[in-house]
Amino acid sequence: MLKPIRCCVSLSLLLALSLGLAQVQAKPKAATVKADQPLSASALRALLTPDTVWCEGWSATQADCDAVHMSQLQPDGTVLESSTFQVSVRPDVTLRLYARARLEKDRICTVFRLADAEMELVMEGQVMPPEAAESFREEMAPSTEELEGKIICQRFVTTSDPDVYTEQVTVAGERRPDLESTFRVYRGNPSLKLRQPPETPELMDL
């Protein structure tokens, strides 16, 4: 879920999902929930659908999201991913990212290349010119350099709440706890609020 970009952007941990204030339709809960178990391949497939929204960075004490993600599994195993992050509050600027990954059994994996991620910047509800997104990409490049060309994989782990998952992230086969987060999943069209970044970057005149 665009993990490399969330981990490395100096603006804060932009890619993360979290709880919204509005009530949403919950998916059916299992009769029993075993915590700390890797999510099976079939269970992960069931969550990679257009009506599933992932909230990363979720906590029971915060009613907003670091970012909101949607992932859709294709017949060939490709995972189409879209993510939205709050870059600035004043002015209101959000970043939309679109990328492709692969479902590898019970993991989502991608070879990270910053140039492959499609980006849009949206200011006050209006999509900014493509040049704005490209300038933003250039600003991100130094902080993502260590991951360029490496395979990054996510495995999700159950908790006592069947709608909440932690994750295990590997980069080139090595575990990276510093890149891991907590997710809550929703069905349907939830109203989720993006979390204000702790630092507001300087926005260039574009």
Side-chain angles (χ1 to χ4, degrees), residues 87 93-95 119-123 126-140 202-206:
V87 175
V93 179
T94 56
L95 172 67
M119 299 184 182
E120 286 183 340
L121 283 174
V122 180
M123 179 182 290
Q126 299 296 318
V127 177
M128 299 176 69
E131 293 79 10
E134 289 309 309
S135 294
F136 194 84
R137 190 193 308 272
E138 291 176 5
E139 292 293 319
M140 293 171 61
E202 294 183 3
L203 298 177
M204 297 174 290
D205 294 328
L206 296 170

Side-chain angles (χ1 to χ4, degrees), residues 76-178:
D76 65 354
T78 299
V79 181
L80 303 180
E81 302 180 330
S82 64
S83 301
T84 304
F85 321 97
Q86 190 78 49
V87 175
S88 171
V89 176
R90 295 177 181 166
D92 178 17
V93 179
T94 56
L95 172 67
R96 296 174 183 167
L97 296 174
Y98 307 92
R100 293 173 177 263
R102 293 285 302 176
L103 182 64
E104 304 288 348
K105 296 183 179 179
D106 63 346
R107 302 181 302 166
I108 298 175
C109 297
T110 186
V111 177
F112 176 64
R113 295 186 179 89
L114 182 60
D116 290 345
E118 181 182 345
M119 299 184 182
E120 286 183 340
L121 283 174
V122 180
M123 179 182 290
E124 303 293 346
Q126 299 296 318
V127 177
M128 299 176 69
E131 293 79 10
E134 289 309 309
S135 294
F136 194 84
R137 190 193 308 272
E138 291 176 5
E139 292 293 319
M140 293 171 61
S143 58
T144 60
E145 185 176 4
E146 65 151 322
L147 300 179
E148 191 70 27
K150 295 180 180 178
I151 298 175
I152 300 177
C153 293
Q154 293 169 280
R155 175 182 282 119
F156 298 95
V157 179
T158 61
T159 69
S160 58
D161 185 330
D163 292 323
V164 177
Y165 303 92
T166 58
E167 66 176 335
Q168 297 173 349
V169 176
T170 59
V171 177
E174 296 186 4
R175 182 79 180 270
R176 289 288 298 271
D178 58 308

